[in-house]
Amino acid sequence: MTQENKRAFTRIFFDAETVITQGDQLWQVQLLDISLRGVLVDMLPGQALDSRQPADISIHLGGDIQICMTGHVANTRDNKVGLTCDFIDIDSMTHLRRLVELNTGDTSLLERELHLLA
């Protein structure tokens, strides 16, 4: 896979309260970016995700609005962990789609990325 293919989804640099839960572990992490395909977070030293197990990701956007997804570890580098989204509910996808749309300002780009998810 080429670097261009790996970056098929626009990354939105975004900071929001983010919690990752895996098994009985719960970590507050720093969200670095988000896309239609997953997230990149910065974890504290000593925090570690099991790459063989799914993780629940909750991103608080304000009020009672959240983006919730289940994913798996795609890559790690130092304390940065990339998680690929395996499941996202319709409400969370609606919020994520709107977030991407507002930050890119390009509806055709958003539609192309949504088509890639299908």
Side-chain angles (χ1 to χ4, degrees):
M1 181 177 278
T2 67
Q3 190 71 0
E4 183 175 314
N5 289 340
K6 283 186 170 183
R7 301 289 181 246
F9 296 92
T10 303
R11 292 175 166 198
I12 305 300
F13 297 103
F14 197 71
D15 184 23
E17 180 182 328
T18 303
V19 174
I20 296 180
T21 308
Q22 191 178 56
D24 61 353
Q25 298 288 320
L26 183 136
W27 298 281
Q28 293 249 350
V29 298
Q30 181 181 2
L31 179 66
L32 299 174
D33 68 46
I34 188 168
S35 75
L36 292 175
R37 193 65 191 119
V39 297
L40 178 67
V41 298
D42 194 11
M43 300 186 75
L44 294 172
Q47 293 178 329
L49 291 171
D50 181 345
S51 62
R52 299 165 296 177
Q53 299 294 321
D56 293 320
I57 305 141
S58 299
I59 302 162
H60 184 73
L61 300 179
D64 61 352
I65 300 172
Q66 290 189 75
I67 295 174
C68 298
M69 62 178 75
T70 300
H72 67 275
V73 175
N75 58 66
T76 59
R77 184 174 197 186
D78 300 322
N79 292 329
K80 293 176 179 48
V81 179
L83 295 115
T84 299
C85 178
D86 296 322
F87 173 80
I88 186 168
D89 65 76
I90 190 72
D91 290 335
S92 293
M93 180 52 111
T94 301
H95 297 311
L96 179 55
R97 177 183 174 151
R98 184 72 177 137
L99 182 68
V100 171
E101 185 177 39
L102 288 171
N103 281 277
T104 63
D106 186 346
T107 305
S108 63
L109 175 64
L110 175 64
E111 293 303 321
R112 180 185 64 80
E113 290 185 13
L114 287 169
H115 180 71
L116 288 172
L117 287 173

